[in-house]
Amino acid sequence: MMTGVILAGGLNRRMEGRSKALLPVQDQPLLLRQLTEMSRICNQMIVVSNEPEAFQLLLASNSMPLNVQWVSDIYVQKGPLSGIHAAAQAATEQFMWIVGCDMPFISSEAAEAMRQLCQEANVDAVIPVIDDKVHPLHGIYSRLVGSEAEVLLKKEQYRLMGLLDHIDWLPAENAFFEKLNLSSKFVTNVNTPDEYKFMLENLS
């Protein structure tokens, strides 16, 4: 099992201020859709948010009980790296499945396959590399990467890709998922109103 982590601490500037985590996808807020998928394989679920009140109301009104822990950034508004750091402090499982709150199609099957690879290869992380593009979110990380994230944050080095330069990680490329008959659609994210509209128009 794993700790599922949703990073929901962004300012949503590119979405014109709308909370990406609350965008409806197939009549369900995106965050709820993600938590439901995560609950299939995660003992613990963490949402990193500095303003959790709106999300807590959403969960309170949900008919299916979901055990969610709310965590705030320790290094506030320093991007996904600070979210990973905060989550690592609270994680109880060895591995964390970390996603952004703007990813509508996260896949527990893909995450579990990556976790197995991470464990067998004894590396710090397994990261999807789809069509030669690195997707550090929807990655599997050892919770021990939190200490490396803290080193970078203290140096005011906030790039998430910078973390990958300092840890031992393996890519999970297209062929890895194709062999398992898994679509790579899970790396899709929606950052802008146009991307959100396109995603809704192409739901299958």
Side-chain angles (χ1 to χ4, degrees):
M1 298 296 271
M2 288 183 281
T3 292
V5 177
I6 299 173
L7 304 182
L11 297 175
N12 303 297
R13 286 194 193 97
R14 291 173 66 194
M15 194 54 78
E16 299 175 349
R18 285 184 77 185
S19 172
K20 291 185 285 189
L22 298 179
L23 291 173
V25 181
Q26 293 177 326
D27 299 323
Q28 191 177 39
L30 212 163
L31 182 76
L32 206 51
R33 181 184 173 97
Q34 291 182 314
L35 288 168
T36 302
E37 182 68 12
M38 277 189 162
S39 68
R40 295 174 60 186
I41 59 168
C42 294
N43 278 339
Q44 177 191 28
M45 293 186 291
I46 293 172
V47 177
V48 183
S49 172
N50 300 314
E51 297 177 340
E53 295 79 11
F55 304 145
Q56 288 171 328
L57 279 173
L58 170 71
L59 287 193
S61 65
N62 181 40
S63 56
M64 191 177 102
L66 291 167
N67 183 22
V68 181
Q69 193 171 338
W70 302 91
V71 170
S72 295
D73 289 331
I74 298 164
Y75 294 83
V76 179
Q77 290 299 349
K78 302 303 180 189
L81 187 64
S82 62
I84 290 176
H85 170 260
Q89 313 307 305
T92 56
E93 301 293 325
Q94 179 184 358
F95 296 104
M96 303 184 294
W97 171 21
I98 297 180
V99 307
C101 68
D102 57 359
M103 305 177 78
F105 307 117
I106 66 169
S107 165
S108 57
E109 290 175 300
E112 177 57 23
M114 289 190 290
R115 183 203 63 79
Q116 288 178 21
L117 176 60
C118 196
Q119 190 162 20
E120 288 162 9
N122 194 27
V123 291
D124 298 320
V126 171
I127 308 295
V129 179
I130 304 299
D131 301 333
D132 297 322
K133 183 180 178 184
V134 181
H135 294 271
L137 299 183
H138 209 297
I140 302 298
Y141 296 80
S142 162
R143 70 179 179 195
L144 300 179
V145 303
S147 56
E148 193 59 57
E150 183 158 28
V151 169
L152 294 171
L153 289 161
K154 283 180 174 174
K155 291 179 179 175
E156 299 183 4
Q157 296 176 14
Y158 303 131
R159 287 176 57 252
L160 181 51
M161 294 298 286
L163 176 64
L164 301 189
D165 294 336
H166 290 83
I167 63 175
D168 183 18
W169 66 280
L170 283 178
E173 300 180 317
N174 295 63
F176 175 80
F177 299 107
E178 286 164 8
K179 199 183 297 182
L180 298 166
N181 292 317
L182 293 174
S183 164
S184 57
K185 190 178 182 181
F186 63 83
V187 296
T188 302
N189 66 340
V190 287
N191 272 309
T192 66
D194 284 346
E195 287 176 357
Y196 174 58
K197 182 170 179 278
F198 181 81
M199 180 272 295
L200 290 180
E201 288 170 351
N202 290 275
L203 279 171
S204 55

